[in-house]
Amino acid sequence: MGTAPTSAASSPAPSSPAASSPTARTLADLDTPFAVVDVHRTRRNIERLRARAERLGVALRPHVKTAKSPDAAALLHDCAPGPVTVSTLAEAEAFADAGHRDITYAVGIEPRKLPRVIALLRRGVTLRVLLDSTEQAMFVASAARAAGVTVPAQIEIDCDGHRGGLRPDAPGLTGIGRALDDAGCLDGVLTHAGESYFCHTTEEQRAAARNERDAAVAAAERLRAAGLTVATVSVGSTPTAHAADDLTGVTELRAGNYVFFDLVMAGLGVCDLDDLALSVVVTVIGHRPEYGWIVTDGGWMAMSRDRGTAAQAQDQGYGLVADLSGALIPNLVMTAASQEHGTLTARNGADLPELPIGTRLRVLPNHACATAAQHHGYHIIDGARGPAAVPRVQAYWPRVSGW
Amino acid sequence: MGTAPTSAASSPAPSSPAASSPTARTLADLDTPFAVVDVHRTRRNIERLRARAERLGVALRPHVKTAKSPDAAALLHDCAPGPVTVSTLAEAEAFADAGHRDITYAVGIEPRKLPRVIALLRRGVTLRVLLDSTEQAMFVASAARAAGVTVPAQIEIDCDGHRGGLRPDAPGLTGIGRALDDAGCLDGVLTHAGESYFCHTTEEQRAAARNERDAAVAAAERLRAAGLTVATVSVGSTPTAHAADDLTGVTELRAGNYVFFDLVMAGLGVCDLDDLALSVVVTVIGHRPEYGWIVTDGGWMAMSRDRGTAAQAQDQGYGLVADLSGALIPNLVMTAASQEHGTLTARNGADLPELPIGTRLRVLPNHACATAAQHHGYHIIDGARGPAAVPRVQAYWPRVSGW
């Protein structure tokens, strides 16, 4: 097998049999397609935001929904389990198994999921839930009372019309706060500047960060003015986390994508292309010179159908193409995908490079969260060991999947 | 866990612990999101194409890349393993484990994958490989001779400029045929009318089917005229398989998507909406009346990023929405997706229906192959048992994944 099995709640494993076997020592030794992570770039990306949060005087609660890997999460907080955000209860359970005790489940809660929330709380995990309606506050309060536990709950605030949440001035806000507080469950407020993914300049991203902070702090102040205690004021998205210049009133910062970054983030100027830690190794399986195509064995099953850069000034197709060492091949782009076929074409009038059948390439994805989700785990290389034509595989990190 | 673990080469299991446990007897008893298959519709779709192939006088070799489920494949050939097409070697290995002995791997072969091909041949599986270059023919012939086995190989023919293959009149065709024949490896020709997914009328689809047949037969005749034996003449795509009126000269028909069908196929008129066998169960987690949104816990992680209907006359967003019984809710469409959030909106000026938090819905996908791939397996219901407000779960079918 090219990749190792995964499970809905896999426990962390430092390396897979595939990666540690004598026949799988380099990126040339595994069957394509497969996902690769450069741990050197990952560490550098993590350190960059860690230092930012420290300068801004806020705690960092990374979102682990991108890598979904306890091994990657072990790098987030100086090799000790620290606060994390998750997007599924399967993640919450897997990260609890890996020793994490402070977890925010940042998707609106529904009644059917509360038994699993309460089971985690009983295991000693501080699992915070999110909600934006009186209806949810009532059933969370009711379930907490029935179980005899505190379910720490955050009220989702809508700062930019992106998705869920209440506007900071919504009439219902303080009523929800009071319903939670009556059951001892009010933890705070949380917002996410999802529209910052469409802010194409640093100044726009900085404005989005100010707006995100202002919305969260205004909501917290309204609740406090109503006599309620608000411990957590949580903000974040990868673009705003890297643009914020003042987080006064905020207690914690969230971001997820930054651990790997991707072409969408590079297109927004949040990172450089050489910060991209995730790529997919593919092999050339054909040529159609009459159409100007090189065909690979990496299609949308390996890359995902995400075309996030289609909305940016420079559409990067399904991804930019590098050689196996990671060096970008100028003007070569993956422009089409079937399930297990990728089509590479040259742009800007460039000639197609000579890449014989069997040539291995690395494709940098539009959206790391979506591409990573197509794989059971990551084969780890370490760019800090210096450039290598065929990088060695250091470890295998399995991913959590399912719900 | 809402879903069961999967593995790169899972063996078939009739049902999972989740589905057979006393707490998971209906679609209301599992944590959302999860994938559901109506086995009644699947059987009906399978029977429809089986009867067509019989009328046309060709063998049927279904592509199992959509369901990737040995349980689903067991329905294809009267409950006995029959010929199948696969898109990965992981599928080939899993289907061999499930008893299949006649498998075509329909993605161009590259040298690194030949040891797994040869291992399957040595297990008694007739595994056919695909190629479209002299380079590939040479290394297949060479590996076959070195291993002392026959590697049955098909030459990929390009009938419509969709992807890989040689045009039927390509100068290199007979040379490749001869190189394979010299090693005893020439099995036949294969083509796929991938452009038929963009044929929006039955007449266009019928023309695409004729063109597909003509290309494959012309290539076979050229090889035969050169003194070579061509056993297999394989054609197929879901639209052309359902439109073909004459397959003279063709020996086998392939199609994959038809087992589940999807909104893209319904948009092409290849099936009706009530033929769609795959859906994703989601739960309402919020309301944004100011924007006209209902928010669910099914985002692109559950649906995939596939937006295949965006290219059709009626864009269906990320999917049409039904209630838990499967009855479509008029004018309700999933129009946006984050990783774990879906946004439902009303179209054609319709009012948003009253769907309280906790309401379960079923979303019909754009592209079954892509949506199914986001899940570890399928919870099986049986529409033949009559309409049910909350259908019972009959079984769990795990999926094969990885490469």
Side-chain angles (χ1 to χ4, degrees):
Chain A
M1 296 297 102
T3 50
T6 187
S7 77
S10 63
S11 47
S15 66
S16 76
S20 60
S21 78
T23 55
R25 294 218 187 98
T26 76
L27 296 188
D29 296 326
L30 293 155
D31 286 358
T32 51
F34 61 91
V36 169
V37 166
D38 183 337
V39 70
H40 175 60
R41 293 181 177 193
T42 297
R43 283 202 180 95
R44 201 171 61 195
N45 297 339
I46 287 170
E47 173 53 25
R48 178 178 164 206
L49 191 60
R50 196 203 57 70
R52 277 205 118 250
E54 197 172 285
R55 277 201 306 279
L56 290 161
V58 291
L60 191 59
R61 179 185 294 278
H63 205 315
V64 296
K65 80 182 179 83
T66 303
K68 292 206 186 201
S69 154
D71 299 290
L75 306 177
L76 294 170
H77 296 286
D78 290 328
C79 296
V84 293
T85 314
V86 299
S87 68
T88 66
L89 288 177
E91 285 167 58
E93 289 157 348
F95 282 82
D97 291 344
H100 291 267
R101 289 290 170 269
D102 184 359
I103 303 178
T104 297
Y105 170 43
V107 176
I109 193 70
E110 57 103 1
R112 179 64 176 73
K113 297 200 174 99
L114 280 170
R116 285 167 70 190
V117 169
I118 289 167
L120 281 163
L121 289 163
R122 288 195 166 134
R123 285 175 60 184
V125 176
T126 301
L127 183 69
R128 297 162 216 273
V129 301
L130 191 66
L131 53 85
D132 65 359
S133 68
T134 308
E135 208 172 343
Q136 289 165 301
M138 298 308 283
F139 67 65
V140 165
S142 163
R145 287 195 185 96
V149 297
T150 295
V151 180
Q154 297 179 348
I155 304 175
E156 185 171 8
I157 305 301
D158 171 17
C159 64
D160 60 6
H162 179 68
R163 197 164 63 199
L166 291 166
R167 300 289 309 176
D169 59 357
L173 178 68
T174 51
I176 293 172
R178 201 168 310 281
L180 291 173
D181 188 64
D182 286 350
C185 294
L186 179 61
D187 178 64
V189 294
L190 175 148
T191 193
H192 166 63
E195 292 298 303
S196 69
Y197 281 66
F198 307 98
C199 292
H200 292 273
T201 66
T202 306
E203 198 37 64
E204 284 172 10
Q205 291 156 19
R206 193 166 294 133
R210 286 185 197 128
N211 175 65
E212 185 181 45
R213 174 205 61 193
D214 291 349
V217 172
E221 289 307 317
R222 270 191 71 203
L223 292 165
R224 287 173 183 143
L228 303 169
T229 300
V230 177
T232 303
V233 181
S234 179
V235 302
S237 74
T238 288
T240 54
H242 289 80
D245 53 5
D246 178 2
L247 290 179
T248 305
V250 164
T251 66
E252 68 174 28
L253 186 61
R254 304 181 327 281
N257 181 284
Y258 78 102
V259 171
F260 290 162
F261 281 130
D262 53 29
L263 291 173
V264 166
M265 287 299 140
L268 295 179
V270 178
C271 66
D272 294 323
L273 287 176
D274 69 2
D275 293 323
L276 272 56
L278 175 71
S279 59
V280 177
V281 180
V282 303
T283 302
V284 173
I285 60 169
H287 302 90
R288 301 302 307 274
E290 63 274 46
Y291 300 122
W293 297 345
I294 295 170
V295 182
T296 77
D297 65 356
W300 58 253
M301 187 65 82
M303 297 305 297
S304 90
R305 270 290 194 201
D306 199 293
R307 289 277 292 100
T309 58
Q312 297 190 334
Q314 176 65 70
D315 184 342
Q316 307 284 27
Y318 281 92
L320 295 183
V321 184
D323 66 20
L324 208 50
S325 80
L328 282 169
I329 301 176
N331 294 309
L332 192 62
V333 188
M334 177 173 163
T335 43
S338 323
Q339 186 161 335
E340 300 290 349
H341 297 80
T343 305
L344 314 183
T345 57
R347 69 179 166 199
N348 300 329
D351 289 332
L352 265 189
E354 292 266 345
L355 299 171
I357 286 172
T359 304
R360 297 197 155 207
L361 301 166
R362 284 164 64 188
V363 185
L364 302 179
N366 277 286
H367 186 179
C369 310
T371 299
Q374 302 298 109
H375 297 269
H376 292 150
Y378 315 103
H379 295 276
I380 305 302
I381 61 173
D382 187 350
R385 304 194 178 204
V390 184
R392 287 178 61 85
V393 175
Q394 311 287 337
Y396 178 79
W397 293 353
R399 270 178 62 88
V400 179
S401 61
W403 284 275
Chain B
M1 298 296 103
T3 50
T6 187
S7 77
S10 63
S11 47
S15 66
S16 77
S20 62
S21 79
T23 56
R25 295 217 187 100
T26 76
L27 296 189
D29 297 325
L30 294 156
D31 286 358
T32 52
F34 61 92
V36 169
V37 166
D38 182 338
V39 70
H40 174 60
R41 292 181 178 194
T42 297
R43 284 203 180 96
R44 202 171 58 195
N45 297 339
I46 286 170
E47 173 53 23
R48 178 180 165 205
L49 191 59
R50 196 202 56 71
R52 277 205 117 250
E54 198 171 283
R55 278 200 305 280
L56 289 162
V58 291
L60 191 59
R61 179 185 293 280
H63 205 315
V64 297
K65 79 183 180 82
T66 303
K68 293 205 186 202
S69 154
D71 299 290
L75 307 176
L76 294 171
H77 297 286
D78 291 328
C79 296
V84 294
T85 313
V86 299
S87 68
T88 66
L89 287 177
E91 285 167 59
E93 288 156 350
F95 281 82
D97 291 345
H100 290 267
R101 288 291 171 269
D102 183 0
I103 303 177
T104 297
Y105 171 43
V107 175
I109 192 70
E110 58 102 1
R112 178 64 176 76
K113 297 200 173 99
L114 280 171
R116 285 166 71 190
V117 170
I118 289 168
L120 281 163
L121 289 164
R122 288 193 167 136
R123 286 174 60 184
V125 176
T126 301
L127 182 69
R128 297 161 216 273
V129 301
L130 192 65
L131 52 85
D132 66 359
S133 67
T134 307
E135 208 172 340
Q136 288 165 301
M138 298 307 283
F139 67 65
V140 165
S142 161
R145 287 196 185 95
V149 297
T150 295
V151 180
Q154 298 179 348
I155 305 175
E156 185 172 8
I157 305 301
D158 171 17
C159 64
D160 60 5
H162 179 67
R163 197 163 62 199
L166 291 166
R167 301 290 307 177
D169 59 357
L173 179 68
T174 50
I176 293 172
R178 202 170 309 282
L180 291 173
D181 187 64
D182 286 348
C185 295
L186 179 61
D187 177 64
V189 295
L190 177 150
T191 192
H192 166 63
E195 292 299 302
S196 69
Y197 281 66
F198 307 98
C199 292
H200 292 275
T201 67
T202 307
E203 198 37 62
E204 284 172 10
Q205 290 157 17
R206 193 165 294 134
R210 286 185 198 128
N211 176 64
E212 187 181 42
R213 174 205 60 193
D214 290 349
V217 172
E221 290 307 317
R222 270 191 71 204
L223 292 165
R224 287 172 182 144
L228 303 169
T229 301
V230 178
T232 303
V233 181
S234 180
V235 303
S237 73
T238 287
T240 55
H242 289 78
D245 53 3
D246 178 3
L247 290 179
T248 305
V250 164
T251 66
E252 69 173 29
L253 185 61
R254 304 181 327 281
N257 181 284
Y258 77 103
V259 170
F260 290 162
F261 281 131
D262 53 30
L263 292 174
V264 167
M265 287 298 140
L268 295 179
V270 178
C271 65
D272 293 325
L273 286 175
D274 69 3
D275 294 321
L276 270 58
L278 175 71
S279 59
V280 176
V281 180
V282 304
T283 302
V284 173
I285 60 169
H287 301 90
R288 300 302 307 273
E290 64 274 47
Y291 301 123
W293 297 345
I294 296 171
V295 181
T296 77
D297 66 355
W300 57 252
M301 188 65 83
M303 297 304 297
S304 90
R305 272 289 194 201
D306 199 293
R307 290 276 294 99
T309 58
Q312 297 189 333
Q314 175 65 71
D315 184 343
Q316 307 282 29
Y318 281 92
L320 294 183
V321 184
D323 66 20
L324 208 51
S325 80
L328 281 169
I329 301 175
N331 294 310
L332 193 62
V333 187
M334 177 174 164
T335 42
S338 323
Q339 186 160 336
E340 299 292 348
H341 297 80
T343 305
L344 313 184
T345 58
R347 69 179 168 199
N348 301 327
D351 289 333
L352 263 189
E354 293 267 344
L355 299 171
I357 286 171
T359 304
R360 298 197 154 206
L361 301 166
R362 284 164 64 188
V363 185
L364 303 179
N366 276 285
H367 187 179
C369 309
T371 300
Q374 302 297 109
H375 297 270
H376 292 151
Y378 315 104
H379 294 277
I380 304 303
I381 61 173
D382 187 351
R385 303 193 178 206
V390 184
R392 289 178 60 85
V393 175
Q394 310 289 336
Y396 179 79
W397 293 353
R399 271 178 60 89
V400 179
S401 61
W403 285 274

